Amino acid sequence: MAVDYTVIVVYLAGMLAMGWWGMRRAKSKSDFLVAGRRLGPTMYSGTMAAIVLGGASTIGGVGLGYQYGLSGAWMVFTIGLGLLALSLFFSARIARLKVYTVSEMLDLRYGGRAGVISGLVMWAYTLMLAVTSTIAYATIFDVLFDMNRTVAIVLGGSIVVAYSTLGGMWSITLTDMVQFVVKTIGVLLLLLPIAVVKAGGFSEMKAQLPTGYFDPLGIGGETIFTYVLIYTFGMLIGQDIWQRVFTAGSDRTAKWGGTVAGTYCLVYALAGAVIGTAAKVLYPKLASPDDAFATIVKDELPVGVRGLVLAAALAAVMSTSSGALIACATVANNDIWSRLRGAVRPGATQGGDHDEVKGNRLFILVMGIAVICTAIALNNVVEALTVAYNLLVGGLLVPILGGLLWKRGTAQGALAAVVVGGLAVVGLMATYGILANEPVYYGLLASLAVYVIVSLATPATDAAVLAAWRERLAGRGSEPAAELKEESVTR
C-alpha cells in the first residue's frame, strides 16, 4: 500500500501547488470568478466534464451498475444529455451575457427584481451540492487510510477550500484539468478493462447474471423520467454549470467544447455501469451497492494502479466539490450579501480590483467552513443531493428557461414561479418523503402554471428592458472594460 499512499499524497500536494499558482493569475474579479472568460476548447471541455462527473457519477454510477446492470448508466447518461442540450442550444447565448451568476441573468431579463429570492434558492442548491461531494471524502479516505469519518471530511474539505480560496476559478480550472486526466486514465483506461477481464469477459457476465442486467430500460421508465427531470434539466440551470460556461473564450468554445464534454459523459456513464455489472459477478452479496467501487478497486487492482484509480475517485469528488463551493460563494456574495447591502445595482456587472478579489476569497473561505461543518452533521448523501436538485428544478427551471424562450414572461411571473415552485417542492418532500418522485413532478407543474398565469395577468416586461436583454444576448451589450482586451487561451 505504500506505493498507493505515495500516489495519493503526490496528487493532493499537486492540487495545493496549483492553487498557489492560480493565486498569481487571479488579479481581478473576472479572473477569480470566471477565469478571465478566456478558456480555449481543450481546457473548457476538460473542466466542464470534470465538474459534472463527481463522486455521485463515479461511485454512485458504479453502484447503480451493481444494482441494475447496464441500465444503471441512466443517471450519469441524463447528466450528459443535459450538458449536450445546454451546450448546443443555450451556452453561446449565456456566455454572451457577460454576467457572473444565474440571478444576474434573471435581473437582466426581467428588469432587476428577481435577484435575492432566486439567489437564495440557488445558494441552497450549491451549498447542498458541495456538502454531498464533501461527505464522499469519508468513503475514499476510509478505503485509503481507514480514517475516521469526521477527520476524512475535514482533511479532504480543507484541501479543496485551500486551493479554491487561493486562486478561485483559475486554481479550480487547473486542478480540474488534472482531475479530468486522472479520471480518464484511472476509470476508463484502467479500471474498466481490468474489471471486465476479472469478471471473465462479457460472455461470462451474461452467463452469471439475470437477463435484466443487460436490459437498457431495466431500471424502469419512471426512474429514467425522473432522472431526466432532475439531472438533464438541472444541468441547464445550475450556477455551478453556468459559471463554467462564463469561462469560455468564445461562443464556439462554449458550444463545441461543451458538446465534447457532454459526449464524454455518455461514455463515462456506460463505463460506470459496466464496472458495476462486473463487480456484481465478482461480489454478488455486498452489503451496499455503493461499496462496489471501493471493493473492486481494493481487491482486484495491482499496487500502484490501485492508488491511481483511488486518486481518480478522489479527483471526481474534488472537482465537483470545488466547482460547487465557488458557485455557492459567488451567489452568497454577489446575489445575496451585496444586494442586501445595496452595493451592487441589479443587473450590473463590474470589473474587478484587488478588494473584490479579497472579498470573494473571504466568501469562499466562509462558505467552505460552512460546507465542512454541514457535511460532518449529515449522513445521507442521496437525500442531500435530492433536496438540492428538487429545489433547483422546482424553483428555478421555469423562470430561467421561460426567460430565454418566452418574451411574454414577466418579473412578477418569475418571482411567483420561484416562490410557489420552491415551497411546493419543500412541502411535498415533507409529505411524500425526500426520495419520492412526486415533489419534483408537482412542484415543477405548479411553478409552470403560476409563471404562465401571473405573466399573462400582469403588464408585459418594459420594452427597454427587453431591448437591452436582446443586445446582451447578441453580445453587443455593455461589459466590463477590463474584460475586453483579454485573449483566449488556446490550450
Side-chain angles (χ1 to χ4, degrees):
M1 288 293 287
V3 175
D4 296 327
Y5 293 158
T6 301
V7 171
I8 298 297
V9 170
V10 169
Y11 167 75
L12 294 176
M15 297 298 99
L16 291 174
M18 289 186 181
W20 183 262
W21 189 87
M23 182 176 66
R24 300 170 60 188
R25 301 202 64 168
K27 303 299 184 183
S28 68
K29 180 180 179 180
S30 174
D31 286 332
F32 193 81
L33 295 182
V34 290
R37 305 188 195 276
R38 53 198 177 102
L39 295 190
T42 302
M43 291 190 74
Y44 181 85
S45 298
T47 58
M48 183 63 86
I51 189 175
V52 300
L53 296 173
S57 300
T58 303
I59 299 170
V62 171
L64 288 171
Y66 182 89
Q67 189 172 2
Y68 298 105
L70 298 185
S71 66
W74 273 104
M75 183 186 78
V76 183
F77 201 84
T78 55
I79 290 173
L81 292 178
L83 187 51
L84 284 172
L86 174 70
S87 301
L88 291 172
F89 302 118
F90 300 107
S91 62
R93 286 188 286 173
I94 292 170
R96 287 196 292 267
L97 291 174
K98 301 295 183 185
V99 296
Y100 291 104
T101 68
V102 173
S103 294
E104 286 183 28
M105 166 264 169
L106 291 173
D107 279 349
L108 283 170
R109 168 59 181 83
Y110 294 111
R113 285 173 286 180
V116 174
I117 294 178
S118 60
L120 286 170
V121 175
M122 189 63 77
W123 175 79
Y125 157 72
T126 53
L127 178 72
M128 294 308 294
L129 185 61
V131 166
T132 59
S133 301
T134 304
I135 291 173
Y137 296 134
T139 301
I140 299 171
F141 281 111
D142 179 56
V143 174
L144 286 172
F145 308 115
D146 193 23
M147 187 178 290
N148 174 271
R149 176 182 182 275
T150 299
V151 175
I153 288 173
V154 171
L155 175 61
S158 297
I159 293 171
V160 170
V161 172
Y163 72 70
S164 300
T165 301
L166 285 172
M169 187 59 82
W170 266 123
S171 292
I172 292 170
T173 297
L174 294 170
T175 54
D176 277 359
M177 276 304 298
V178 174
Q179 289 159 357
F180 169 74
V181 172
V182 171
K183 281 192 289 190
T184 301
I185 295 173
V187 176
L188 297 185
L189 302 183
L190 292 176
L191 183 57
L192 174 61
I194 290 173
V196 172
V197 169
K198 291 284 186 178
F202 285 104
S203 59
E204 183 64 20
M205 290 162 63
K206 287 183 177 180
Q208 292 282 342
L209 297 173
T211 56
Y213 266 74
F214 302 91
D215 180 358
L217 303 179
I219 199 170
E222 184 178 355
T223 299
I224 295 171
F225 180 67
T226 302
Y227 285 159
V228 170
L229 279 183
I230 294 177
Y231 297 114
T232 300
F233 287 124
M235 287 296 105
L236 298 179
I237 59 175
Q239 169 68 25
D240 52 324
I241 308 302
W242 277 40
Q243 200 156 340
R244 295 310 174 97
V245 175
F246 300 152
T247 67
S250 66
D251 294 356
R252 183 177 179 83
T253 294
K255 183 174 183 178
W256 297 112
T259 300
V260 171
T263 304
Y264 178 90
C265 291
L266 303 184
V267 175
Y268 201 87
L270 185 58
V274 171
I275 293 168
T277 305
K280 184 67 175 179
V281 174
L282 295 168
Y283 312 101
K285 296 183 179 180
L286 290 178
S288 168
D290 285 340
D291 293 336
F293 180 89
T295 303
I296 197 169
V297 169
K298 193 173 183 179
D299 292 350
E300 302 298 335
L301 299 186
V303 173
V305 173
R306 178 170 51 213
L308 183 59
V309 173
L310 286 172
L314 194 58
V317 174
M318 294 180 86
S319 58
T320 299
S321 180
S322 58
L325 176 59
I326 194 172
C328 179
T330 303
V331 170
N333 189 11
N334 289 264
D335 292 337
I336 301 174
W337 178 247
S338 292
R339 292 167 189 268
L340 291 177
R341 293 176 62 212
V344 176
R345 288 169 295 134
T349 57
Q350 301 176 336
D353 56 25
H354 178 71
D355 289 338
E356 284 193 275
V357 171
K358 199 173 178 181
N360 282 291
R361 186 173 280 137
L362 177 62
F363 264 86
I364 290 181
L365 178 61
V366 172
M367 290 298 106
I369 293 171
V371 165
I372 291 172
C373 293
T374 307
I376 291 171
L378 293 179
N379 285 312
N380 195 312
V381 177
V382 175
E383 289 190 358
L385 191 64
T386 301
V387 170
Y389 274 99
N390 281 354
L391 280 173
L392 177 70
V393 173
L396 291 179
L397 178 67
V398 169
I400 291 173
L401 292 188
L404 289 169
L405 300 173
W406 189 41
K407 67 179 182 179
R408 187 59 182 83
T410 66
Q412 294 88 342
L415 286 171
V418 173
V419 173
V420 171
L423 291 177
V425 164
V426 172
L428 290 167
M429 283 192 293
T431 302
Y432 288 97
I434 289 176
L435 299 180
N437 293 328
E438 288 83 358
V440 71
Y441 292 169
Y442 300 144
L444 193 56
L445 287 174
S447 180
L448 177 61
V450 168
Y451 179 71
V452 172
I453 292 170
V454 174
S455 291
L456 293 175
T458 53
T461 303
D462 186 82
V465 172
L466 288 178
W469 166 253
R470 286 192 292 270
E471 286 293 298
R472 290 292 285 269
L473 277 180
R476 295 189 295 267
S478 61
E479 58 185 272
E483 296 176 13
L484 291 175
K485 297 182 180 179
E486 294 180 332
E487 298 180 357
S488 293
V489 176
T490 57
R491 295 188 66 83

